[in-house]
Amino acid sequence: MVPIQMVDLKRQYTKIKSQVDAAIEEVLESSAFINGGAVQQFTGELQAYLGAKHVIPCANGTDALQIAMMALGLEPGDEVITPSFTFIATAEVIALLQLKPVFVDIDPQTYCLDITAVEKAITPKTKAIVPVHLYGHVADMEPLMAVAAKHQLYVIEDNAQAIGADYTFQDGSKKKAGTIGHIGCTSFFPSKNLGCYGDGGALFTNDDELAAKIRMVANHGQSARYYHDVVGCNSRLDSVQAAVLRIKLPLLDGYIAARRAVADAYDAAFAGIPQVTTPYRAANSYHVFHQYTLQLHDADRNELQQHLASKGVPAMIYYPVPAHRQKMFEHFGGAAFNLPVTDNLTSKVISLPIHTEMDSDQLEHIIQSVKSFLNTPQS
């Protein structure tokens, strides 16, 4: 059996090696390493895929979040509501810009923002909400956008883990995750569902004025070359990474289908086992399974992780310390935030390998390894 990886990028690359190598060589031959043709072509292709009016590429997903907040004109002291159960970058950029992160609890099934908790946290200083589409499940955007409209707040979607996911509205219409709020942000980190071979990111918006501001902020605040209207930064997706992403974008839906097939197999194997809760899939969210994350009950996840490692199965505990309990946020009130669902879930979750190249032998070995730890009859 091929050694199991959380994400097997080498096997994925092997399947598309000739196309990727040719695309990179084309960039090298052109020597247009910054803002080359590959960047412009990928930008247009991603716009078409997402149904977004504007896509602005940047250097990474963290930059995307920072640029979004700068483009919206948020000022020091403004409050930004966000979940604590997320990768630290979501809240880190809020603090970096001298804004105030306001942590709210999450839905115990989806792990995404609890809309009721969001509305309770709104104050006269609140200016924006940052929902996170955690693990590939889309937050419940329709009621969230209604709350935002009611209180005249911006919504910045952290879509680093859910690119390609669909959200279905009550009228049956659909939109891609990241295109529903005022600005969507994503990461092309190599392990993402759509990943490049280095760092990369992008912002999405359907607002022409916002798009112009985002482009300025991401390019030293320039409205024209050497004319700097606002304080900005330098954040670009390079041509080599764009060339890789151009090859992988047409494969994204297939990659998502492969991940969902692995998730389906896990769901079936672990159904009815009292010690585990499998990932919830809301009817209005097409889960793209960036991660497959179990909740454990009456079982020690560290011991499970060690047991799986002894069987050659990697498993990850993502975000074991939620943002509101991190030392970096102590001066914002930190642990004073009452987030019982977040605290409970971050102590119970563990993620199993899931990727596009997983074969049936690997999948069966992972399933049996989990079941052997839980003393569950094996197939």
Side-chain angles (χ1 to χ4, degrees):
M1 184 176 65
V2 175
I4 298 170
Q5 311 287 335
M6 285 297 292
V7 180
D8 198 333
L9 294 176
K10 181 65 177 291
R11 291 177 78 191
Q12 186 187 74
Y13 165 64
T14 300
K15 287 187 176 180
I16 55 175
K17 184 180 188 304
S18 60
Q19 301 101 297
V20 169
D21 290 357
I24 292 174
E25 185 174 353
E26 186 176 333
V27 173
L28 297 178
E29 288 291 339
S30 74
S31 297
F33 301 118
I34 300 295
N35 262 343
V39 177
Q40 309 309 318
Q41 291 165 328
F42 172 67
T43 298
E45 290 158 1
L46 186 58
Q47 282 175 188
Y49 174 82
L50 294 172
K53 192 171 184 182
H54 301 279
V55 167
I56 302 96
C58 64
N60 55 68
T62 305
D63 277 8
L65 290 163
Q66 178 180 329
I67 291 165
M69 293 177 197
M70 293 172 71
L72 290 170
L74 303 187
E75 299 179 351
D78 287 347
E79 294 179 356
V80 179
I81 294 173
T82 188
S84 179
F85 191 9
T86 179
F87 181 58
I88 200 66
T90 312
E92 182 182 36
V93 297
I94 298 171
L96 182 67
L97 295 172
Q98 298 183 20
L99 311 171
K100 181 181 178 181
V102 175
F103 298 109
V104 300
D105 221 341
I106 53 175
D107 180 274
Q109 291 183 302
T110 67
Y111 307 161
C112 299
L113 278 179
D114 180 327
I115 310 302
T116 301
V118 168
E119 190 151 28
K120 287 179 179 177
I122 294 170
T123 76
K125 292 185 177 181
T126 307
K127 294 296 186 293
I129 306 167
V130 184
V132 178
H133 304 316
L134 197 70
Y135 299 146
H137 191 289
V138 187
D140 198 1
M141 292 299 296
E142 188 167 14
L144 183 64
M145 293 303 295
V147 168
K150 175 182 174 183
H151 296 276
Q152 297 182 305
L153 304 176
Y154 295 114
V155 174
I156 303 167
E157 294 177 70
D158 185 338
N159 194 39
Q161 299 185 15
I163 193 162
D166 290 318
Y167 179 84
T168 303
F169 292 81
Q170 289 185 358
D171 65 3
S173 63
K174 295 182 180 182
K175 286 188 177 181
K176 292 289 186 187
T179 69
I180 304 166
H182 298 91
I183 302 176
C185 301
T186 202
S187 165
F188 300 125
F189 188 78
S191 64
K192 302 301 186 190
N193 290 22
L194 178 62
C196 56
Y197 293 166
D199 272 318
L203 300 96
F204 326 131
T205 185
N206 294 312
D207 186 305
D208 295 342
E209 184 178 346
L210 264 181
K213 289 180 180 177
I214 291 167
R215 289 190 179 97
M216 272 203 300
V217 170
N219 188 26
H220 298 290
Q222 293 185 108
S223 56
R225 193 169 188 184
Y226 301 128
Y227 289 83
H228 306 269
D229 295 0
V230 297
V231 174
C233 60
N234 176 28
S235 186
R236 299 177 291 216
L237 178 70
D238 70 67
S239 301
V240 169
Q241 303 307 332
V244 172
L245 290 165
R246 287 197 70 211
I247 301 301
K248 296 178 78 173
L249 178 58
L251 305 174
L252 177 57
D253 288 346
Y255 287 163
I256 290 169
R259 286 173 173 271
R260 285 175 58 88
V262 173
D264 290 345
Y266 282 148
D267 283 355
F270 303 137
I273 298 177
Q275 297 103 311
V276 299
T277 297
T278 55
Y280 179 74
R281 309 188 200 192
N284 59 1
S285 171
Y286 187 76
H287 203 316
V288 296
F289 287 99
H290 176 59
Q291 305 295 346
Y292 185 91
T293 303
L294 295 173
Q295 282 185 54
L296 291 190
H297 312 285
D298 300 318
D300 187 301
R301 70 175 177 185
N302 293 318
E303 290 181 3
L304 172 57
Q305 188 179 40
Q306 293 166 10
H307 171 79
L308 292 175
S310 74
K311 303 289 187 180
V313 177
M316 291 291 293
I317 298 170
Y318 291 104
Y319 327 132
V321 181
H324 74 290
R325 296 196 176 277
Q326 298 284 354
K327 186 175 181 179
M328 67 191 294
F329 294 122
E330 284 180 352
H331 63 293
F332 288 112
F337 287 99
N338 182 31
L339 309 178
V341 176
T342 296
D343 284 330
N344 179 54
L345 286 173
T346 51
S347 69
K348 289 183 174 180
V349 295
I350 186 168
S351 299
L352 300 179
I354 188 165
H355 56 76
T356 59
E357 312 307 313
M358 191 175 291
D359 59 46
S360 57
D361 288 343
Q362 291 177 317
L363 186 55
E364 186 62 21
H365 180 69
I366 295 166
I367 289 168
Q368 299 310 328
S369 296
V370 172
K371 286 186 170 182
S372 67
F373 174 81
L374 298 173
N375 296 315
T376 301
Q378 301 177 44
S379 58

